[in-house]
Amino acid sequence: MSSAMISIKNLHKSYGAQEVLRNISLDVGSGEVVAIVGPSGSGKSTLLRCVNFLETFSSGSITVGGEMIGYRESGGKRRLLDEKEIDKQRAEIGMVFQRFNLFAHMSVTQNLIEAPVQVRNVKPDAARLYGLELLQKVGLEEKRNAYPEHLSGGQQQRVAIARALAMRPKVMLFDEPTSALDPESVGEVLAVIRQLTGEGMTMMIVTHEIGFAREVSDRVVFMDDGRIVEVGPPSDVIGNPQNERTRAFLSKVL
Amino acid sequence: MMSSRPGFTLITSLLSLLAAAGVVYMFATSQVMWDEVLTYLTAPAIFYGIYVTVGLTILSMFLGIVLGVISALMSISPSPIPKAFAQFYVWLFRGIPLLVLIIFCYNFALFAPRIGFGEFSVSTNVVMTSFTAAVLALSLHEGAYMSEIVRGGILSVDKGQIEAARALGISRRKTFRRIVLPQALTVVIPATGNQTIGMLKATSLVSVIGVHDLLTQAQFIYTKNYLIIELLIVAVVWYLGLAAVASLGQRYLEHWISSRKAGGCLVARAVRGAAGSGEGVIAEVKPS
């Protein structure tokens, strides 16, 4: 992991007096899959949302593909990027949400081509073609003209993954992608994510599926109270946790 | 055809029968001169009144929607000054009884005898004809209600979708136009239909300042011939007719937006220009 695709350095974030992220540093290599686990309220979703700047942060820095996210540093001071620049950075970072968040008034295909056409000025026909390819990949090409309300949760989430991939992002962020799903649908979504890991996509996955984290990730990050408590290969962090808090958490969820 | 609920069918049949009997009884025994009603139903003065009422309704609804959209966009703005201004507007013009507002507008000269900019000014009484005053009062009143309807429509759109759009790199402006607006309209359009029917009847209040609307025209006639109830019936028949037409229009519109493609694309395209600048709601997803 010589070249870090995502590099988080000394990240702090607080809401008023309450610190939600305390001095987070984490490098994610190109093609690496990092799973972030921990109790709710530990700051793992917030950390993920900082990476595509859906959340601002108080201090520290994040770079994705070598480019600093959200701010510009000059003369020791940091300045907020203007919106156009932030939009451009976000376009490079795919994000999948817990609640799918598909555009309800658009068909599956329209959901997939919206951002490529509107942001990247891709020709609709070309976007549709690539969209179809992605739908085949997530196993939903026959649903291309369906509307989100007619899809199951698992199907919606697979479309949401395809929608993020349609922008050909450098990295993918997954924010508890299976937490809103019924147990039956969890497997089909995990299968799609598993497939992506095989293709060398750089990914950060916030998840409660410990077994899945152990299976697909190169490294597991355990967070608690806004801090990274433990980080390492799954065999260590999940298989043989050193920290007491990690052990306590795992004993509850495993 | 057999109903699955025979009790319900029985009761509705009985009620219909009773209503029919009531109507027949009313026509047979009442002192209302139905032949006069029939005569005045198509009187030119009444037709003129319909023309004015429809004109007032369309003009005031149009201006009310414009005011309402502006006010709604201000009320969802992240900055406090436009927000406060919009809230004040809604509070003021929803709170003043429409009848009083109409009288105030008509007597606007009492508040400001001349209006204009600097050198150029005109006497308020010249500008504020009864028709202008009526349109002004109705629009201001309607704008306050439409503001809340539009605001509600925009806020009804799932925040997660806005966030997803922003995460894909779609700009604030495009997110509003392409994601928020089409979905807000499915809420706003049916409510606007309702408001239009309300406006149709609310225009009758302008009779107090002598705009020649349908009710005023009917009143002019009955002050001469004393056929008060007869002419009110004439007016009511036409109001009901207009309301029926408006209801049909509303039905049609609702059907049109519920057919998904129209809701998603065509409506959005139609209003894109009108509301292009409003993306205040997106600010809620902006990192703060």
Side-chain angles (χ1 to χ4, degrees):
Chain A
M1 272 154 263
S2 49
S3 60
M5 179 59 97
I6 302 170
S7 181
I8 302 167
K9 283 198 181 73
N10 307 112
L11 196 72
H12 283 272
K13 180 182 176 66
S14 42
Y15 293 119
Q18 197 203 347
E19 275 199 282
V20 288
L21 294 177
R22 306 166 195 247
N23 201 23
I24 302 278
S25 290
L26 178 71
D27 279 0
V28 181
S30 188
E32 194 186 13
V33 179
V34 169
I36 306 171
V37 299
S40 45
S42 59
K44 47 194 197 308
S45 282
T46 308
L47 174 62
L48 202 71
R49 292 165 59 86
C50 283
V51 175
N52 70 351
F53 213 59
L54 283 179
E55 303 270 354
T56 57
F57 37 89
S58 326
S59 68
S61 70
I62 299 174
T63 61
V64 174
E67 196 179 331
M68 203 171 147
I69 295 296
Y71 301 99
R72 187 200 330 274
E73 229 153 33
S74 58
K77 275 187 181 168
R78 64 169 201 175
R79 294 236 316 270
L80 197 69
L81 293 179
D82 65 49
E83 275 202 17
K84 256 193 178 150
E85 293 169 293
I86 294 171
D87 287 342
K88 223 175 146 194
Q89 293 182 334
R90 285 192 181 132
E92 305 281 335
I93 302 168
M95 181 142 188
V96 173
F97 299 88
Q98 184 178 348
R99 301 220 48 95
F100 335 127
N101 298 349
L102 293 180
F103 305 135
H105 61 306
M106 294 182 179
S107 71
V108 166
T109 303
Q110 287 169 326
N111 263 279
L112 293 192
I113 70 171
E114 180 68 10
V117 171
Q118 297 299 325
V119 179
R120 293 260 169 78
N121 296 317
V122 176
K123 292 238 160 41
D125 283 340
R128 221 167 274 132
L129 217 60
Y130 186 52
L132 195 63
E133 197 180 305
L134 290 169
L135 282 181
Q136 279 162 355
K137 187 177 191 164
V138 300
L140 287 171
E141 67 269 38
E142 79 282 6
K143 297 285 185 191
R144 60 182 176 272
N145 294 322
Y147 282 88
E149 63 179 327
H150 298 125
L151 300 178
S152 73
Q155 290 171 331
Q156 288 192 48
Q157 193 62 301
R158 280 145 70 197
V159 172
I161 294 171
R163 178 177 67 177
L165 291 173
M167 290 295 277
R168 304 176 194 268
K170 290 189 218 157
V171 304
M172 284 286 281
L173 310 175
F174 292 87
D175 189 5
E176 302 193 20
T178 58
S179 296
L181 297 176
D182 55 283
E184 250 176 291
S185 304
V186 170
E188 64 186 60
V189 170
L190 293 184
V192 170
I193 301 174
R194 192 178 294 124
Q195 195 185 340
L196 285 175
T197 65
E199 294 169 10
M201 176 62 79
T202 308
M203 300 198 266
M204 285 176 79
I205 307 172
V206 170
T207 184
H208 291 297
E209 301 282 329
I210 303 296
F212 177 72
R214 190 210 297 255
E215 177 203 341
V216 302
S217 66
D218 299 303
R219 279 189 300 160
V220 174
V221 173
F222 175 72
M223 282 183 73
D224 190 22
D225 199 23
R227 285 193 186 86
I228 291 182
V229 175
E230 209 166 336
V231 57
S235 53
D236 293 356
V237 178
I238 297 171
N240 182 24
Q242 299 303 306
N243 192 287
E244 199 178 308
R245 271 182 294 175
T246 319
R247 275 200 291 268
F249 173 74
L250 290 174
S251 72
K252 266 180 259 166
V253 297
L254 280 180
Chain B
M1 258 199 305
M2 271 294 289
S3 167
S4 56
R5 288 182 297 174
F8 184 74
T9 312
L10 187 70
I11 289 171
T12 44
S13 312
L14 274 176
L15 280 176
S16 315
L17 211 66
L18 217 63
V23 169
V24 169
Y25 179 78
M26 213 168 71
F27 274 88
T29 63
S30 72
Q31 313 246 305
V32 175
M33 292 183 245
W34 294 102
D35 52 333
E36 296 284 5
V37 172
L38 219 58
T39 311
Y40 281 107
L41 210 50
T42 52
I46 293 294
F47 277 140
Y48 182 75
I50 294 169
Y51 166 72
V52 173
T53 289
V54 170
L56 265 178
T57 302
I58 293 174
L59 203 57
S60 305
M61 271 316 287
F62 175 75
L63 292 173
I65 290 170
V66 170
L67 278 174
V69 168
I70 294 171
S71 166
L73 292 176
M74 283 166 71
S75 73
I76 56 170
S77 157
S79 46
I81 294 169
K83 199 188 200 102
F85 192 84
Q87 281 168 349
F88 177 76
Y89 165 71
V90 170
W91 167 76
L92 190 67
F93 288 104
R94 265 201 323 185
I96 300 178
L98 181 54
L99 186 59
V100 179
L101 183 61
I102 289 168
I103 297 167
F104 275 175
C105 284
Y106 188 50
N107 296 289
F108 194 65
L110 290 176
F111 299 92
R114 296 185 74 76
I115 48 175
F117 295 100
E119 295 283 292
F120 176 78
S121 72
V122 287
S123 164
T124 303
N125 277 329
V126 174
V127 183
M128 202 55 78
T129 62
S130 57
F131 187 80
T132 333
V135 170
L136 185 68
L138 291 170
S139 311
L140 285 170
H141 180 81
E142 189 58 34
Y145 281 92
M146 282 308 298
S147 173
E148 290 296 279
I149 290 171
V150 173
R151 190 177 71 98
I154 291 172
L155 293 181
S156 75
V157 178
D158 170 29
K159 297 284 170 295
Q161 290 180 40
I162 298 170
E163 194 160 67
R166 303 291 282 135
L168 283 162
I170 299 174
S171 71
R172 192 178 293 237
R173 180 178 288 261
K174 276 188 174 164
T175 300
F176 184 80
R177 275 194 336 223
R178 302 203 37 98
I179 309 300
V180 178
L181 205 55
Q183 297 187 69
L185 282 176
T186 59
V187 178
V188 171
I189 286 176
T192 306
N194 240 1
Q195 289 297 109
T196 309
I197 292 172
M199 175 63 85
L200 213 50
K201 294 171 292 160
T203 54
S204 66
L205 290 175
V206 304
S207 59
V208 291
I209 56 170
V211 179
H212 297 259
D213 75 301
L214 177 53
L215 181 63
T216 311
Q217 292 294 85
Q219 287 172 335
F220 277 160
I221 300 171
Y222 72 59
T223 48
K224 286 184 211 126
N225 64 13
Y226 300 106
L227 295 169
I228 298 172
I229 297 302
E230 285 76 3
L231 276 142
L232 286 178
I233 292 172
V234 167
V236 162
V237 167
W238 280 111
Y239 278 118
L240 285 172
L242 292 173
V245 173
S247 298
L248 276 175
Q250 185 185 12
R251 227 24 88 67
Y252 177 76
L253 255 179
E254 278 174 31
H255 183 76
W256 185 60
I257 54 169
S258 69
S259 62
R260 287 310 263 278
K261 279 208 174 59
C265 305
L266 297 178
V267 180
R269 216 163 286 163
V271 292
R272 194 159 295 163
S277 63
E279 51 269 356
V281 69
I282 316 302
E284 292 176 26
V285 178
K286 188 190 172 191
S288 51

